[in-house]
Amino acid sequence: MSTTSEPLESLAPTLSVRQVLMLERVLAGEPEVVAGAAQLDRAVRWVHVAEAADVGVMLSGGEMVLTTGVLLAGDDDKQAEYIRSLHRAEAAAVVLGLGRAFPAPPDVMRRAAERCGLPMVVLHRPFPFAELTEEVQARLVRRKFAAVSMSEAVRTALTGLITAGAPLQHLLDEIAHHSGCPVVVTNLAHRVLATAGERSAVDDVLRDWERIARQAGGSEGDGWIRAELGGRGERWGQIMLCGYRGDTATGRLLADRAAESLVLHRMLGGASAHSWEEQSAQSLLTDLVSGVVPARQLLPRARAAGLPVNRRTFVPLVVRDGDPAELDRVLRLLGLPGIVAELADGATAVLLSLARDQDAAVLTANFAARLTQTVVAAADPRTAWDDVPAGMREARHVADAVASGALDLPAVVRLKDVHLRGLIRLLRDDPHVQSFAERELDGLLCAAGDDLLAVLRTYLATGRNKSRTAQLHHVSRPALYRRLEAIQGRLGVDLDDFEQAASVHIALLAHDAQQA
């Protein structure tokens, strides 16, 4: 059989006892497992033909020993000690050819093998051991070569991505492609920093992440294979192959290659485990704000990122001109569970997760009080996770409204604090609002009207205070009057009429919101 005919995931450098027994040449000898049936998945590293009673001293572990037992016949003590010596040498299994010394499976050897948990197989038909040795050794050599080739192919692919400046996610996608299972990167606290693989399979893993994280320090099994991330004596995370379907040795090889590449990516890119945490939080909060991904699908990611989500009160915040690192430090200082991520246009999203009996308003105010020269926009607290995306968008709208005008506002700004400006921000994408703004301001929406538009904006923002408007634009009162007359002429309105002035003001707010 050629190596190319075997699936990549099965090209392990070893065979299991079970796989050896299923070979066509072995089946011709009519094999029967008479002891240690629960241990048939042991790896066979090599096949060794030996008749010596003290063969155990010649083994190094993982061998399948083939024997006729000719030197053991008639001596129960030797038979029992033979099995015990194989067990001590960590042999994979013993195969006894019946006929020459034993016409039937010897009870002494069978019972000893069962006690030791050593697979014991008897062959009922004469069988040339040389054929089995040749078959298994050839397969093992091919598999070892294939495993090494695969390892080098993975290393080459990942190194190519790194040298091309690919982001972390591209590396993980490549690893998931080769492993055929979800891939998860965590920090030392087992918080998920990044994932890759089929979305539904990844979500299944994240939904059960709390249990998986608790068992992360245990032994590998059931396809859960991990490799440590770190260097220079410092360990800062791990990568896990979740549910790898191939041989454990191959999976470990893949995980090791992946870990090497991630460490190299971090070193060359100047990244850190903390920056990976920031990227993870940014991806989650960006998806929450955008609403493109349903909130329910994001819940496993939030939980795996370390955000408490069961019976919690969520407070969506957006901070203008805030340093994400500083905001995260303040959260830790106050002991507030939450995640922080920088969005676009100088805005930083913060999602607090509070216990139901905590006062959300007081804790939010405490958080804002620790910040300087920033605007904290908040949405009303949400008790249902499905309502969080709407809350994040509301906080973003409030932050945008605050940024567009100098307003006398409290430390924590809510939708009710931005009044009409906030409402216009929420409605700015409505086609009817856009048409209204263009219709009302049509006479000024040209290059020649830019200066007049600025005067109109100041005049309305100051409550139609002519003296203040003239002062802010550094013009005389008569010059201002001429500009106001020009504005009224172009728009066809009377700015002394409250309703007409209010209509123009709303249109101007809508125009500014759309431009922002």
Side-chain angles (χ1 to χ4, degrees), residues 160-236:
L161 289 173
I162 293 171
T163 55
L168 170 66
Q169 189 60 52
H170 288 187
L171 267 69
L172 296 180
D173 290 340
E174 185 72 16
I175 296 165
H177 170 71
H178 283 284
S179 65
C181 67
V183 175
V184 176
V185 176
T186 73
N187 62 11
L188 293 180
H190 305 303
R191 291 189 176 184
V192 174
L193 306 181
T195 63
E198 186 182 347
R199 189 72 260 166
S200 60
V202 171
D203 288 344
D204 287 342
V205 169
L206 296 185
R207 267 190 288 272
D208 200 27
W209 187 252
E210 187 174 343
R211 178 188 64 80
I212 294 169
R214 285 200 304 268
Q215 298 177 351
S219 59
E220 295 174 344
D222 298 327
W224 297 88
I225 300 171
R226 64 185 181 279
E228 302 297 336
L229 300 175
R232 299 178 180 175
E234 178 189 9
R235 189 167 62 90
W236 42 268

Side-chain angles (χ1 to χ4, degrees), residues 9-297:
E9 65 181 16
S10 72
L11 294 180
T14 60
L15 288 165
S16 68
V17 175
R18 190 187 310 276
Q19 288 173 316
V20 172
L21 297 181
M22 293 302 295
L23 296 177
E24 187 175 347
R25 291 188 181 182
V26 179
L27 291 175
E30 297 183 7
E32 177 189 1
V33 178
V34 297
Q39 303 295 325
L40 295 182
D41 290 322
R42 283 184 172 183
V44 176
R45 188 181 58 82
W46 207 244
V47 176
H48 191 68
V49 180
E51 298 292 353
D54 59 348
V55 66
V57 299
M58 308 175 192
L59 307 180
S60 57
E63 294 90 351
M64 174 179 276
V65 177
L66 311 180
T67 183
T68 62
V70 67
L71 299 181
L72 304 175
D75 191 328
D76 291 351
D77 291 339
K78 279 188 176 181
Q79 294 172 24
E81 178 56 28
Y82 181 82
I83 295 297
R84 288 194 293 267
S85 69
L86 293 180
H87 172 64
R88 289 193 297 270
E90 299 183 348
V94 58
V95 178
L96 176 64
L98 299 180
R100 185 175 179 187
F102 295 98
D107 277 346
V108 173
M109 294 180 68
R110 183 184 58 77
R111 287 195 301 268
E114 193 65 54
R115 284 194 299 270
C116 293
L118 176 70
M120 178 175 174
V121 182
V122 296
L123 300 175
H124 288 278
R125 298 189 61 178
F127 185 86
F129 285 166
E131 290 187 11
L132 174 57
T133 303
E134 179 185 7
E135 174 80 7
V136 174
Q137 313 299 46
R139 285 176 179 266
L140 288 174
V141 169
R142 288 203 302 268
R143 282 167 173 256
K144 287 179 180 179
F145 177 77
V148 171
S149 297
M150 180 199 64
S151 173
E152 289 306 310
V154 172
R155 178 185 277 129
T156 300
L158 295 178
T159 302
L161 289 173
I162 293 171
T163 55
L168 170 66
Q169 189 60 52
H170 288 187
L171 267 69
L172 296 180
D173 290 340
E174 185 72 16
I175 296 165
H177 170 71
H178 283 284
S179 65
C181 67
V183 175
V184 176
V185 176
T186 73
N187 62 11
L188 293 180
H190 305 303
R191 291 189 176 184
V192 174
L193 306 181
T195 63
E198 186 182 347
R199 189 72 260 166
S200 60
V202 171
D203 288 344
D204 287 342
V205 169
L206 296 185
R207 267 190 288 272
D208 200 27
W209 187 252
E210 187 174 343
R211 178 188 64 80
I212 294 169
R214 285 200 304 268
Q215 298 177 351
S219 59
E220 295 174 344
D222 298 327
W224 297 88
I225 300 171
R226 64 185 181 279
E228 302 297 336
L229 300 175
R232 299 178 180 175
E234 178 189 9
R235 189 167 62 90
W236 42 268
Q238 67 178 2
I239 181 170
M240 292 184 67
L241 307 185
C242 305
Y244 180 71
R245 295 187 299 273
D247 182 86
T248 299
T250 305
R252 194 173 293 118
L253 195 61
L254 273 171
D256 288 343
R257 294 294 84 77
E260 291 172 4
S261 298
L262 295 188
V263 171
L264 180 61
H265 180 271
R266 176 190 174 189
M267 291 173 57
L268 294 181
S272 65
H274 183 67
S275 70
W276 285 3
E277 291 181 19
E278 291 175 348
Q279 292 174 30
S280 175
Q282 184 177 43
S283 173
L284 174 60
L285 289 182
T286 300
D287 286 344
L288 277 171
V289 172
S290 69
V292 173
V293 182
R296 193 165 298 278
Q297 292 184 20

Side-chain angles (χ1 to χ4, degrees), residues 333-409:
L333 182 66
L334 296 176
L336 297 177
I339 50 178
V340 179
E342 187 174 7
L343 303 177
D345 305 323
T348 301
V350 180
L351 180 60
L352 302 181
S353 175
L354 308 177
R356 292 284 175 88
D357 59 353
Q358 290 181 294
D359 191 322
V362 170
L363 292 176
T364 303
N366 290 344
F367 173 71
R370 296 273 182 168
L371 308 177
T372 58
Q373 298 181 336
T374 59
V375 174
V376 179
D380 291 335
R382 264 63 175 177
T383 56
W385 176 258
D386 286 347
D387 296 334
V388 171
M392 293 301 306
R393 290 192 291 273
E394 179 182 316
R396 181 66 185 269
H397 284 307
V398 173
D400 286 347
V402 172
S404 67
L407 304 173
D408 185 14
L409 296 168

